[in-house]
Amino acid sequence: MLSAGALLTLDLDAVRANYRLLRQRAGAATCGAVLKADAYGLGAAAVAPALRREGCDTFFVAHLAEGTALRGILGPGVTIIVMHGLFPGTEAEALRHDLVPVVNSTEQLRDWAAFARAQGRPLPAWLQIDTGMARFGFSEGELEAAIAEARDLGSLALRCVMSHLACADTPAHPANARQLAEFHRLRRKLPPLPTSLAASSGIFLGPDWHGDTVRPGVALYGVAPTEGQPNPLRPVLRLDAKVVQLREVAAGTPVGYGHTAVTARPSRLATVAVGYADGFLRSASGRGVVRFRGLDLPILGRVSMDSLVVDATVLPPGAMRAGDTVALIGEGNDLDRVGRAAGTIGYEILTSLGHRYHRRTLGG
């Protein structure tokens, strides 16, 4: 019997199916997998081996600590790339765990190259250039300075040059073509190297953006890659929560903290055992819905720390009882819809899901 207030179900077969679709869309490019933030909150210990069984051998994380943890899960034989690069003094740890840093700045290049010289051999790295996002990577001036100085770049075994797209989820946005042109212009200043530009949404822009390696992240977990278009990816998770209590109230009854909602009619209210402490965002207050037997039940009033209230008046008397479960995320209410209702995106919903849920894993 489930003792937690909610059940989060992860479908690893769906993750694998999404990877196969993305690999197919990537064509001749290598299809890696981004497992940062503990596989976007779903658990790298479950997701990584499933993707490995599907044939993925190139993985991306954000931080060094994520890379060392992933190496412990997957063992040798796969490439793990640390996209944020290394902080000073952590170079030996990266080498010990056979991690490949992305060199994003002059300082990171200097430190990793000096460490390589101390080891007496070139060490692997990816090099990131900034093509118009002003976030990570070498500017044109910094790149030219590094090329002119030559020693540090020459101390490394550069495996790939990469950048990142700012507007790939909006295919018609002119920034996509501008960044592609800028990427090719800047990379030609370097010796010939494999390239990587496309993450999840970029894969769907087409082959011109693919390069040699694509880096799908949130698409693996079912979030739609393109705004306003049908989602070709399978949902990978479902979040069901228990009904704690039902009550019948009169019209004009204030509900929840701040009395931000007042019933407009005699109503049947259900208190559900999930709140913002579970990662279900407070911004969904008065905007989101849960699903029960194919029906939308609107969230009424504020989402509390440990609970929320839904309007179940549409249900016949006795159709819902304490102990029943409602779907906060699932069929008819996917991550993208939940994100829109909370004024955000599916990424934030996915990575915010907390640790109080009972977790169940299917397939894989």
Side-chain angles (χ1 to χ4, degrees), residues 66-322:
E66 294 175 338
T68 60
L70 187 59
R71 180 63 72 197
I73 294 167
L74 291 175
V78 300
T79 300
I80 300 174
I81 297 155
V82 181
M83 293 188 291
H84 283 190
L86 305 177
F87 290 111
T90 62
E91 294 82 11
E93 184 177 359
L95 180 62
R96 186 163 59 250
H97 293 279
D98 190 23
L99 304 177
V100 179
V102 174
V103 174
N104 294 288
S105 67
T106 301
E107 294 78 14
Q108 288 185 351
L109 171 62
R110 177 198 63 208
D111 291 348
W112 189 234
F115 183 75
R117 290 192 291 271
Q119 301 302 306
R121 59 188 174 94
L123 294 178
W126 282 37
L127 178 71
Q128 180 151 206
I129 52 180
D130 178 18
T131 57
M133 199 171 177
R135 191 179 66 159
F136 289 110
F138 283 73
S139 68
E140 182 173 10
E142 291 167 335
L143 181 64
E144 290 176 342
I147 293 169
E149 193 276 334
R151 184 186 185 212
D152 286 342
L153 285 177
S155 298
L156 301 180
L158 292 179
R159 292 185 178 178
C160 190
V161 57
M162 67 172 283
S163 192
H164 193 69
L165 296 167
C167 304
D169 58 347
T170 309
H173 199 293
N176 296 320
R178 286 199 302 266
Q179 283 195 260
L180 178 64
E182 184 72 352
F183 181 62
H184 288 311
R185 186 181 73 84
L186 292 176
R187 76 174 181 84
R188 291 189 185 104
K189 296 177 180 288
L190 294 159
L193 286 169
T195 61
S196 179
L197 183 60
S200 289
S201 296
I203 294 170
F204 292 83
L205 292 177
D208 287 347
W209 282 265
H210 290 168
D212 296 288
T213 300
V214 297
R215 314 184 304 270
V218 77
L220 293 167
Y221 313 111
V223 171
T226 306
E227 288 183 354
Q229 298 296 321
N231 188 353
L233 302 163
R234 285 175 52 177
V236 306
L237 70 92
R238 181 181 175 97
L239 178 60
D240 296 287
K242 284 184 178 180
V243 174
V244 179
Q245 183 176 356
L246 289 125
R247 68 180 69 240
E248 306 285 337
V249 302
T253 300
V255 180
Y257 284 117
H259 288 178
T260 58
V262 177
T263 57
R265 59 181 176 173
S267 301
R268 181 176 305 108
L269 306 182
T271 302
V272 178
V274 159
Y276 57 76
D278 304 287
F280 196 80
L281 301 184
R282 190 171 182 266
S283 56
S285 300
R287 301 171 62 181
V289 301
V290 305
R291 298 275 289 176
F292 184 77
R293 298 185 182 177
L295 297 173
D296 283 350
L297 305 182
I299 296 172
L300 204 59
R302 289 181 181 168
V303 174
S304 304
M305 180 181 287
D306 309 299
S307 65
L308 54 85
V309 174
V310 299
D311 185 349
T313 311
V314 68
L315 300 175
M320 176 184 283
R321 301 177 184 276

